[in-house]
Amino acid sequence: MKPNLIRNSLISALASLCMLSEVQAKQPAQSDVQQTRIGALQLENGYPTKATAARLYDELDFQRATQAYLWALPAVGFKALYDAQAKTFGARNGDVVLYQTLKDKAGMLTPNITTLYAFSFWDLAQQGPLVVEVPAGATAGGVLDIWQQPITDMGQTGPDKGAGAKYLIFPPGSPEPVAPGYRIVRSSSNQIWFATRGLDPDKAVAEATVRRHRLYGWNQRNNPPTNAYIPVAGRAWQSAQPADLNYWRLLSELYTNEPVAPRDRMMFGMLAPLGIIPGQPFRPDARQAKVLGEAAQLGDLMARTIAYDKRLPGATVYPGKHWEYGVLFELDQESPDKRRVQFDERSAWFYEAIGMSAGMQGRIVGFGQVYLESSKDAKGQWLDGGRTYRMRVPTGAPVKQFWSITLYDNLSRGPLITDQGAADISSRKPDLITNADGSVDVDFGPLRPAGARNWIQTTPGKGWFAYFRFYGPTEPYFAKSWQLNDIEPIRP
């Protein structure tokens, strides 16, 4: 080909390329709409539009926060109880609050009405190591960290086995003190919670024994101060985890000066874009507050479902019945093979309950307590405060100490408060009426049925659930040769 022809061909090709480039430059970006579970999302050349990015970030943060709500239930439950004691009862760290009556326990998550409770808090970072002198006698309790993981049991279910002992709890990261004569344990958090129950059948003896506990700083051991014991005295209070923005405020305040465990760092990393960072003030902007408030509302409903409509393997106690195990997790809240945190298992418990200890696991014959719960009747229907039910407790209940059944409001998770002024019946009830064979019939409903011998009042228009507790469970419970009956509807 001649040079001129080659040159002309090249010029023509370059001109065509330039024209093609100009045409392409004038064409709009390719648009794409993807249908998703949160609606249609607009993309441009594969990139999110500004509106789509904002929407996806909101959804990302919302999803993270709903799961964080479930994750934080034990910690926020700890903080809510702490605030109730400090702000409602004026209790300082080291003061012991006494919860004695039904009204005293109305603000507590699923308390037993039969036994006396005593609670106190302590800050190891500010106050130094804590000494707890446990008296000999019928008590059961212990000290827990901010995730309600037991640091040690005390009393009948502790290493002292009810004989009494001096316990020394020291903070994370500090050297172990030399303290002959003390049972020494290390806490995983700076803030800790002491709790115990008086188990003597004589209420006066139970209270006297509980009041012999002494709590003071290690640096006060040579001249321990006298403990203040503060009765609730019927004052109104509440410690259920909030279902609004206050939930996150409590979590943030709790971590003002707390170490973060390795397993919790991922969750705090996901919460950082929402303004929840350990050790930093919680000051959410309007967008963050909206997302967190909505996540708390939905997180509460998720927790309620996990607790009352369990899908956990092995949750049902007796085949074909509706009693479930209240406690389905290990003390460290991890699976036995240490490959996962028992996320739903602990969410189910800490949504509706407070505290955990070795004695509350219900796994050793004659030791501690067992917690069975039911929110459904024999037909599998939700328990309704407007209906009437009956349950027969078979003769020979497998307990060394006593059994009790307590009814709770399914929203507050506190005991039912009715005109009757009673939310439980126990084998220690002085006027408990038994059948000729030793079994016990218990009726539940808004009005006392004709001929009902043992009755607990419920409220129309409200749901409720029941805990059946075995104190000192014996072999027939574990062998299931003795089984608890379902709650039977007897009137529509």
Side-chain angles (χ1 to χ4, degrees):
M1 184 178 292
K2 294 182 179 180
N4 287 341
L5 290 175
I6 294 173
R7 183 184 63 199
N8 291 340
S9 296
L10 288 172
I11 292 172
S12 178
L14 288 171
S16 297
L17 287 172
C18 289
M19 290 175 65
L20 179 61
S21 298
E22 290 175 4
V23 170
Q24 290 176 335
K26 292 177 182 178
Q27 296 211 352
Q30 290 187 2
S31 180
D32 178 28
V33 176
Q34 291 198 20
Q35 298 297 329
T36 73
R37 66 183 296 159
I38 63 170
L41 297 177
Q42 185 79 37
L43 305 173
E44 292 180 354
N45 289 340
Y47 291 109
T49 64
K50 186 174 182 180
T52 294
R55 195 167 165 195
L56 284 172
Y57 272 127
D58 281 350
E59 182 66 18
L60 173 67
D61 289 342
F62 175 76
Q63 290 188 19
R64 288 176 172 181
T66 56
Q67 298 310 302
Y69 186 95
L70 301 174
W71 157 77
L73 281 167
V76 176
F78 174 102
K79 184 62 165 63
L81 182 61
Y82 175 89
D83 278 6
Q85 292 213 163
K87 296 178 180 180
T88 304
F89 309 135
R92 301 165 301 174
N93 285 350
D95 292 345
V96 182
V97 178
L98 298 175
Y99 301 83
Q100 297 166 297
T101 67
L102 169 63
K103 193 171 182 181
D104 288 350
K105 299 173 185 177
M108 193 183 302
L109 298 181
T110 55
N112 184 2
I113 310 305
T114 307
T115 56
L116 164 69
Y117 288 88
F119 298 162
S120 185
F121 289 87
W122 192 267
D123 191 326
L124 297 168
Q126 295 184 9
Q127 298 170 272
L130 170 68
V131 175
V132 180
E133 293 187 14
V134 178
T139 65
V143 175
L144 295 83
D145 69 11
I146 60 171
W147 286 94
Q148 300 193 50
Q149 297 175 116
I151 299 166
T152 181
D153 274 45
M154 296 172 174
Q156 289 184 341
T157 56
D160 64 284
K161 301 187 184 302
K166 289 184 179 181
Y167 290 81
L168 175 60
I169 297 93
F170 65 103
S174 67
E176 181 172 333
V178 177
Y182 290 80
R183 295 185 180 275
I184 303 173
V185 287
R186 182 190 296 274
S187 173
S188 57
S189 65
N190 288 321
Q191 298 168 83
I192 57 177
W193 172 36
F194 162 79
T196 195
R197 286 159 293 188
L199 298 178
D200 195 282
D202 185 317
K203 291 186 177 181
V205 173
E207 182 174 347
T209 305
V210 165
R211 283 178 174 271
R212 288 202 299 272
H213 286 79
R214 301 191 70 186
L215 286 75
Y216 52 87
W218 175 242
N219 58 2
Q220 299 172 303
R221 62 190 181 278
N222 294 327
N223 187 26
T226 301
N227 278 115
Y229 282 85
I230 303 173
V232 173
R235 284 173 284 184
W237 66 288
Q238 184 58 255
S239 68
Q241 298 94 334
D244 56 23
L245 189 63
N246 284 318
Y247 187 91
W248 310 105
R249 176 185 58 78
L250 293 177
L251 178 64
S252 180
E253 289 178 0
L254 183 63
Y255 270 89
T256 299
N257 184 29
E258 282 289 350
V260 179
R263 75 180 187 193
D264 296 321
R265 292 171 188 164
M266 176 67 76
M267 197 63 76
F268 274 117
M270 292 196 293
L271 287 173
L274 284 161
I276 301 173
I277 301 173
Q280 295 188 18
F282 177 51
R283 296 173 182 145
D285 59 28
R287 186 197 76 89
Q288 292 170 328
K290 181 175 184 294
V291 170
L292 288 170
E294 291 173 347
Q297 179 190 27
L298 191 62
D300 174 81
L301 294 173
M302 289 176 173
R304 194 180 307 173
T305 301
I306 291 170
Y308 301 146
D309 197 18
K310 292 181 177 65
R311 64 177 183 180
L312 299 165
T316 300
V317 183
Y318 313 111
K321 296 184 180 181
H322 295 88
W323 287 100
E324 298 174 331
Y325 294 106
V327 181
L328 289 161
F329 59 95
E330 304 299 318
L331 292 177
D332 63 1
Q333 303 171 8
E334 297 183 21
S335 60
D337 62 8
K338 305 303 178 190
R339 301 184 71 173
R340 67 178 183 90
V341 172
Q342 294 173 309
F343 198 85
D344 284 356
E345 292 89 339
R346 79 175 190 183
S347 295
W349 175 256
F350 288 111
Y351 175 74
E352 63 186 33
I354 191 83
M356 181 48 53
S357 68
M360 296 170 69
Q361 293 279 293
R363 298 178 182 178
I364 301 174
V365 176
F367 177 85
Q369 307 88 44
V370 167
Y371 299 80
L372 303 188
E373 64 173 302
S374 183
S375 52
K376 297 177 181 178
D377 66 20
K379 296 181 180 180
Q381 301 298 311
W382 296 116
L383 295 169
D384 181 342
R387 302 189 66 186
T388 303
Y389 305 87
R390 177 170 296 155
M391 186 186 77
R392 173 162 291 180
V393 181
T395 185
V399 292
K400 289 177 64 176
Q401 295 176 313
F402 68 97
W403 59 260
S404 70
I405 183 166
T406 311
L407 307 193
Y408 302 100
D409 183 304
N410 67 336
L411 298 182
S412 72
R413 290 94 77 195
L416 289 186
I417 304 298
T418 64
D419 294 338
Q420 182 192 27
D424 78 321
I425 284 176
S426 83
S427 58
R428 284 185 171 177
K429 192 171 186 284
D431 57 350
L432 182 72
I433 300 174
T434 61
N435 299 321
D437 63 355
S439 63
V440 178
D441 289 332
V442 185
D443 289 85
F444 317 99
L447 299 173
R448 187 176 196 130
R453 309 172 84 185
N454 309 290
W455 169 64
I456 304 176
Q457 189 175 29
T458 60
T459 303
K462 286 190 174 184
W464 59 274
F465 65 101
Y467 269 24
F468 194 97
R469 290 172 169 89
F470 302 75
Y471 279 80
T474 56
E475 179 56 34
Y477 161 77
F478 293 95
K480 297 185 181 177
S481 56
W482 186 97
Q483 294 192 8
L484 198 57
N485 293 313
D486 267 338
I487 297 171
E488 298 273 356
I490 61 172
R491 189 177 301 166

